[in-house]
Amino acid sequence: MIVISPAKNLNTNLESLDHKTSTPTLKLKTNKLIKILKELNLIEVKSLMKVSDSLANLNFKRIEEFDKNQNLYKPAAFLFSGDTFNGLSIRSFDNNLLNNAQKTLRILSGLYGVLKPLDLIQPYRLEMGSKINFKLGCTLPQYWTNEVTDSLNEDIKKTKSNFLYNLSSLEYFSSINSKKILAEIINFDLKKLKNHNLVNIGMAIKKLRGSMARFIISKNITKINELKDFKDDSFKFDSFDKSTKTMLFVKK
C-alpha cells in the first residue's frame, strides 16, 4: 500500500474517462464535516484557508453548493494537479496500471479522509493542517485518524500487503495512527549532495514522491530491496535507516 498527499492545485477541465469510478469510503464523515463548514461565513473561510479574496469566494461557494447535481465530479487522481501528481502521471497509466493503482494507492485528504485514485470527488480546498478546532472541537488529523487508519488496515488485509509506503507529507501522515497500522511503514527521504553535505531539495521532493509512487505501482514492488532500483532525475538509493525505517535517495 502507498499513501500520498493531495494537492491544492486542481485540474477542473472536463475529461472523458473509460475506467469505472468509485465512491469515497468515508463519505458519511465528509458530509458531517461539510455541515460544520457550512456554518462558517466568508471571512471565517478566508481566515481558515489563508487565501486571497477571490479564492475565499470560490471555496465558500464550493462549500455552500457541495453535492449539488450540477457540480463537477472527477476521479481524485485526475482532479488533483501539481508536482506530486505530475510525478505520478496517472493519465499515462493503461488499464492494468489503473487497476493496480486503485488497489494500492491512497490519497490522504482533509475533506475526504482517504481516497482511492478513481473515487469521484468535487473540487475543494481544505488542508489537513487547517485550524478548524474552534468549530470542530479537535484537529482535522484527530477527526480522521480512527477512520483513516481502519480504512487503510482493511485495504492492507485485502491486498495482503506487508508494507505501507509513506510518500505523504508529515502534515497528512499525522491523520494515521501509525502504531495501529497492520503493516511495516517505510518512509522515504530525498536529498542532494552539495559541497560534500546532504541538503534538502525543497519543493522538488513532491514530484519525486509522485515518481516513486508510479515506480512502485508500475513495477508491482512488494519487497524493500526492489525499491533500490528507483532512479529518477539522477537520484539513486543511498542507504536504509533501520531505526526510522527510512530509505534515503541522493542526487550527486
Side-chain angles (χ1 to χ4, degrees):
M1 295 301 301
I2 311 159
V3 289
I4 60 174
S5 302
K8 288 183 283 189
N9 294 331
L10 305 176
N11 181 337
T12 55
N13 296 327
L14 294 177
E15 295 182 67
S16 178
L17 301 171
D18 296 329
H19 214 280
K20 184 179 178 181
T21 57
S22 50
T23 301
T25 305
L26 306 178
K27 185 64 163 50
L28 290 178
K29 190 139 187 174
T30 294
N31 291 340
K32 291 180 182 178
L33 184 53
I34 281 290
K35 189 176 180 180
I36 292 169
L37 290 172
K38 283 180 182 288
E39 297 174 1
L40 302 177
N41 60 40
L42 178 59
I43 294 173
E44 288 172 324
V45 168
K46 184 177 188 298
S47 175
L48 175 70
M49 298 184 181
K50 295 181 172 59
V51 293
S52 64
D53 288 344
S54 59
L55 282 175
N57 277 294
L58 173 63
N59 286 287
F60 181 76
K61 185 178 179 182
R62 285 172 173 169
I63 293 168
E64 289 298 304
E65 297 181 354
F66 192 81
D67 264 355
K68 293 289 178 64
N69 289 335
Q70 72 271 19
N71 285 4
L72 171 72
Y73 291 81
K74 281 183 79 169
F78 290 81
L79 178 63
F80 293 125
S81 186
D83 292 338
T84 297
F85 293 86
N86 288 339
L88 179 64
S89 191
I90 194 80
R91 289 169 181 80
S92 67
F93 283 24
D94 60 21
N95 283 335
N96 285 334
L97 281 188
L98 270 177
N99 284 331
N100 287 345
Q102 184 74 349
K103 290 176 184 175
T104 62
L105 178 66
R106 296 295 176 265
I107 306 163
L108 302 173
S109 164
L111 184 61
Y112 289 93
V114 63
L115 293 162
K116 299 180 291 294
L118 296 173
D119 280 352
L120 282 180
I121 64 170
Q122 301 164 69
Y124 77 93
R125 183 181 183 124
L126 186 66
E127 296 176 61
M128 194 64 80
S130 298
K131 307 297 184 184
I132 196 162
N133 312 42
F134 73 101
K135 274 289 185 183
L136 201 56
C138 61
T139 65
L140 273 177
Q142 289 169 340
Y143 180 78
W144 284 117
T145 186
N146 290 335
E147 288 78 5
V148 168
T149 303
D150 288 346
S151 179
L152 287 172
N153 278 337
E154 283 298 314
D155 291 330
I156 286 167
K157 285 187 282 188
K158 284 179 187 175
T159 56
K160 298 180 181 178
S161 299
N162 293 315
F163 302 103
L164 177 66
Y165 300 122
N166 174 26
L167 290 163
S168 64
S169 66
L170 188 61
E171 173 185 317
Y172 280 88
F173 196 73
S174 66
S175 65
I176 299 171
N177 185 340
S178 57
K179 294 179 180 178
K180 291 188 176 181
I181 287 294
L182 303 176
E184 186 176 354
I185 297 170
I186 304 298
N187 301 300
F188 296 82
D189 195 8
L190 297 114
K191 296 186 182 297
K192 61 183 178 182
L193 194 62
K194 186 175 181 180
N195 299 326
H196 305 291
N197 293 311
L198 292 177
V199 297
N200 292 326
I201 60 173
M203 297 299 285
I205 197 169
K206 291 185 176 183
K207 185 174 182 181
L208 270 295
R209 285 171 176 162
S211 297
M212 178 64 79
R214 177 186 174 83
F215 173 76
I216 294 169
I217 294 165
S218 60
K219 300 295 183 182
N220 197 23
I221 301 295
T222 59
K223 299 176 182 177
I224 295 179
N225 280 341
E226 295 171 332
L227 293 167
K228 295 177 181 179
D229 293 332
F230 175 79
K231 295 180 180 68
D232 195 319
D233 193 26
S234 300
F235 281 86
K236 294 182 181 180
F237 174 75
D238 182 86
S239 59
F240 178 64
D241 187 333
K242 291 183 179 180
S243 63
T244 61
K245 304 291 183 182
T246 300
M247 300 201 74
L248 173 64
F249 292 81
V250 175
K251 182 176 183 177
K252 297 179 179 179

